Amino acid sequence: MACRVQKRISLRRKLHILRVLTYSNSAKRTSLAKSTVLRLYKLKLALETVKRQYENLLATRRECVRLLNHVKESKDVKIEKVGAGTFMVRVTCEKGGDNLVAILKAFDEMCLDVQQARVSCENGFFLEAIAVAEDQTLDVRDITEVLLKAIGKQSGEKDSQMFDKCCDS
């Protein structure tokens, strides 16, 4: 007899726990079972929705990273005119290749004398230089185009004429 009472108490405790978990007020076992199955189904649907949203977020993240890598411009040339025929040149690009040699050759072709320079290859190639032009007619745009060609970047314009304006000998 005591065994039946213990089983009944145990069953009532389990049913009470199920009522609490399924937010059901039903006292009948069959309706409690139905509400439990319904609750489990709703939880399954919610889990599938969360999984789909997670997969969409991962796909969006991958697309954003791909676009950022595609858009990320690794080559940059900035030139400021400091004085008459004097320019502050800043070049930033990826490591590798003969960037310094190409830039110095471009300076030589344009008859630019480098008075002071600082070069770094820590997180990529970086050059900062003060250059003085022998020919005072050089423009910032001309120097930018030549340096972009020297470091291998396609400028949006047609090939400009090479500078043969060095000292007339």
Side-chain angles (χ1 to χ4, degrees):
M1 191 73 141
C3 186
R4 283 186 183 173
V5 173
Q6 286 179 348
K7 285 183 181 180
R8 193 177 299 149
I9 292 172
S10 173
L11 182 61
R12 284 184 184 167
R13 194 176 302 135
K14 290 176 183 176
L15 288 174
H16 177 68
I17 291 171
L18 265 178
R19 273 189 214 104
V20 170
L21 290 175
T22 59
Y23 304 111
S24 175
N25 292 327
S26 175
K28 296 182 181 178
R29 288 185 214 169
T30 55
S31 62
L32 183 60
K34 288 179 185 177
S35 64
T36 303
V37 169
L38 182 63
R39 177 76 173 157
L40 288 173
Y41 181 72
K42 287 180 180 178
L43 288 173
K44 181 182 173 189
L45 288 177
L47 181 65
E48 289 173 358
T49 303
V50 168
K51 282 183 180 178
R52 255 183 279 128
Q53 289 174 347
Y54 178 71
E55 289 171 0
N56 288 341
L57 285 173
L58 286 178
T60 304
R61 180 180 171 264
R62 280 191 299 269
E63 184 68 19
C64 287
V65 168
R66 187 186 66 77
L67 287 174
L68 284 174
N69 287 339
H70 180 69
V71 170
K72 180 180 147 186
E73 194 59 55
S74 60
K75 298 176 183 176
D76 189 28
V77 174
K78 293 181 182 176
I79 299 176
E80 298 175 22
K81 192 166 189 172
V82 179
T86 305
F87 300 95
M88 173 64 83
V89 179
R90 288 185 184 92
V91 178
T92 306
C93 60
E94 295 175 358
K95 273 189 196 180
D98 295 331
N99 293 328
L100 182 60
V101 173
I103 291 170
L104 292 176
K105 282 182 182 178
F107 281 161
D108 192 41
E109 288 174 4
M110 292 183 290
C111 299
L112 283 173
D113 294 327
V114 178
Q115 290 190 342
Q116 183 179 0
R118 183 174 59 179
V119 178
S120 172
C121 292
E122 192 171 320
N123 295 327
F125 178 81
F126 176 75
L127 170 100
E128 185 176 76
I130 297 175
V132 177
E134 293 177 9
D135 184 7
Q136 300 295 323
T137 61
L138 274 178
D139 188 18
V140 171
R141 198 184 92 215
D142 297 334
I143 298 171
T144 304
E145 286 180 11
V146 172
L147 288 178
L148 286 173
K149 286 180 187 176
I151 60 174
K153 181 176 179 181
Q154 298 292 327
S155 64
E157 303 174 8
K158 303 255 184 202
D159 291 343
S160 62
Q161 52 183 301
M162 291 306 254
F163 293 95
D164 310 352
K165 302 176 184 176
C166 286
C167 308
D168 295 339
S169 318

